[in-house]
Amino acid sequence: MTKVFNVNGACKPARHYMVDLKPRLEEIKKMVDDGQYFTINKARQYGKTTTLYALADFLKTDYEVISLDFQKIESDEFSSGSSFVHALTREINSKIRRMDTVPAEVREKFVKLSDNTYKNVRMAEMFGCFSEWCGQSEKPIVLIIDEVDTASNNQVFLDFLSQLRAYYLDSDETPTFRSVILAGVYDIRNIRRKLRPDEEHKYNSPWNIAADFLVDMSFSKNDIAGMLKEYEGDYHTGMNIDEISGLLYDYTSGYPYLVSRLCKFMDERIAGNADYPDRSSAWTKNGFLEALKLLLKDQNALFESLIGKLNDFPELNNVISRLLFQGKGIAYNPDDQAVQTALMFGFVKIVDSSVVIANRIFETRLYNNQLLKFDEQNSDIYSEGARQKNQFIVGGHLDMRRILEKFVETFDYLYGDQDETFLEDVGRKYFMLFLRPIINGTGNCYVEAETRNRERMDLVIDYQGEQYICELKIWHGNAYNERGEVQIAAYLDYFHLKKGYMLSFNFNKKKEIGVKEIVLGDRLLIEAVV
């Protein structure tokens, strides 16, 4: 069977191109060997289920593994303890039916507990059966449950966690699971329950026994290269694996779904079209950029979930806007609930104690989403960009100088009498809004995270396989401006470019708006001032 890049459900080594999971599995097994209970919390489509499938197989030599999925339990089956016990033991029966190591009396008890005619069964009976099984099993038993947050908003689930916790704490006296692994998006350690009904202000977490899960589940550049080597062994495209794996990592930051989706596009939708007739032409930088355009326009479950969370959690919009447009750094504070929510859903990550957008692809989608909302109230600048679009594309290339000239002219006409606060808060957003209809559908842009601050941010524009660097900065005098020129010159070296662009928002009443050229050694800087 020919392998493919998979983006639907769990990946299986015999059918799908995959990164080597063994190093991660070895790290997780150490936690299991130490008898730890823990939760794997990652955003949607981050490889949790694939990892759990692989882990169950990896552990089976040393452990008896029971692997369950709470999605198989219907919502009304969480309505009471009895219905939950019936449903959970039903799923356990479906697993142990294929296991010849389960004692007969334990099987019989699980069958009885799953019988809906057995009324008023209590959770304690199920855990007693678990304990009996653990006591008789030749191998320690590991319990793995996927999609636990399916059930996290009800009392029955909290009672289930409490029972796990109680048996864990009493494990020296009472046989129980060697390790319990729960996986989902929401961190169930943050669930609180009242200790007693009359204690309205005293809360305790039923999962406060969980160890920290610090295993990195993102793909490194080397991980991606290993997957591409396997693909290359099958198809001999002649791709530059170091270059393509670097591009995949740079744009995705190793987000598993995004890596696989881009690879799938190059393999199945780019290769064989009019511009890229075979796999050799598709697995190039230009082929990658074509796949990137497809992905940025793609309607998939991950992006739908991402944008949906902005609607469900309004506090996220403030965090995203601060990061994207205002250049306001956000220092990581574990007590900042909005940031914690953004982390949980995968919008952001922590780099050197600062909060940054998780990857360039999310950043571009979020830019488009935020600019769309902004455009609803500020359509004039967007309309001007759309109206004048044709004059900015010359021979298939962006005329960035012309874009800056027309932006300065349009911005001064529409907003020239606005105050400094207005410019500082939304000036850069207006430029991106002006730019969006010009490159939309053909190019994309993102901001380099390390340059984003209150004073400056470097906008990288990808268009038809070419890159343009434009620094957006707030004017703070000639000396500061000269330092900015040196900075962008160094940045051009990084991208191997000889021409760069700078857009300065100047609050000086005597400023001269317009566009000029500055020669910096063998590089040319086009600077616009508004």
Side-chain angles (χ1 to χ4, degrees), residues 441-493:
T442 304
N444 62 84
C445 64
Y446 59 90
V447 173
E448 281 296 317
E450 62 266 25
T451 70
R452 183 188 285 112
N453 57 50
R454 190 68 173 176
E455 287 76 32
R456 67 181 279 256
M457 53 195 229
D458 290 325
L459 187 66
V460 182
I461 302 163
D462 287 328
Y463 190 86
Q464 297 283 52
E466 295 181 292
Q467 290 182 312
Y468 306 81
I469 311 300
C470 183
E471 180 179 315
L472 311 182
K473 61 186 290 293
I474 307 298
W475 182 275
H476 287 292
N478 287 325
Y480 177 83
N481 196 57
E482 290 171 0
R483 290 198 300 273
E485 293 168 357
V486 173
Q487 288 171 329
I488 194 170
Y491 206 54
L492 290 174
D493 286 343

Side-chain angles (χ1 to χ4, degrees), residues 24 42 46 216-224 244-260 262 288 292 295 346-351 356-363 446-450:
R24 296 166 180 75
K42 287 295 177 183
Y46 213 94
D216 186 0
M217 292 176 62
S218 64
F219 296 166
S220 68
K221 179 183 173 182
N222 287 337
D223 289 331
I224 299 169
I244 300 301
S245 60
L247 286 168
L248 286 164
Y249 181 78
D250 287 345
Y251 279 82
T252 66
S253 294
Y255 198 111
Y257 173 86
L258 299 177
V259 173
S260 295
L262 285 167
F288 168 83
L292 180 63
L295 180 58
F347 284 87
V348 300
K349 60 185 178 181
I350 306 302
V351 178
V356 300
I357 301 296
N359 57 68
R360 293 179 184 177
I361 292 172
F362 280 6
E363 180 163 311
Y446 59 90
V447 173
E448 281 296 317
E450 62 266 25

Side-chain angles (χ1 to χ4, degrees), residues 414-428:
L414 292 174
Y415 312 112
D417 58 349
Q418 295 289 342
D419 61 18
E420 177 177 334
T421 300
F422 170 84
L423 286 175
E424 192 163 5
D425 284 347
V426 300
R428 292 181 286 202

Side-chain angles (χ1 to χ4, degrees), residues 31 43 59 62 97 269 334 344 393 402 423 520 526:
M31 299 180 71
L59 294 175
D62 298 323
R97 195 174 294 125
R269 292 176 60 177
M344 180 171 63
I393 312 298
R402 185 65 176 156
L423 286 175
L520 301 170
I526 310 296

Side-chain angles (χ1 to χ4, degrees), residues 59-73:
L59 294 175
K60 66 183 182 182
T61 301
D62 298 323
Y63 297 97
E64 199 83 83
V65 180
I66 184 75
S67 184
L68 306 173
D69 186 342
F70 267 7
Q71 286 187 121
K72 294 182 178 179
I73 299 179

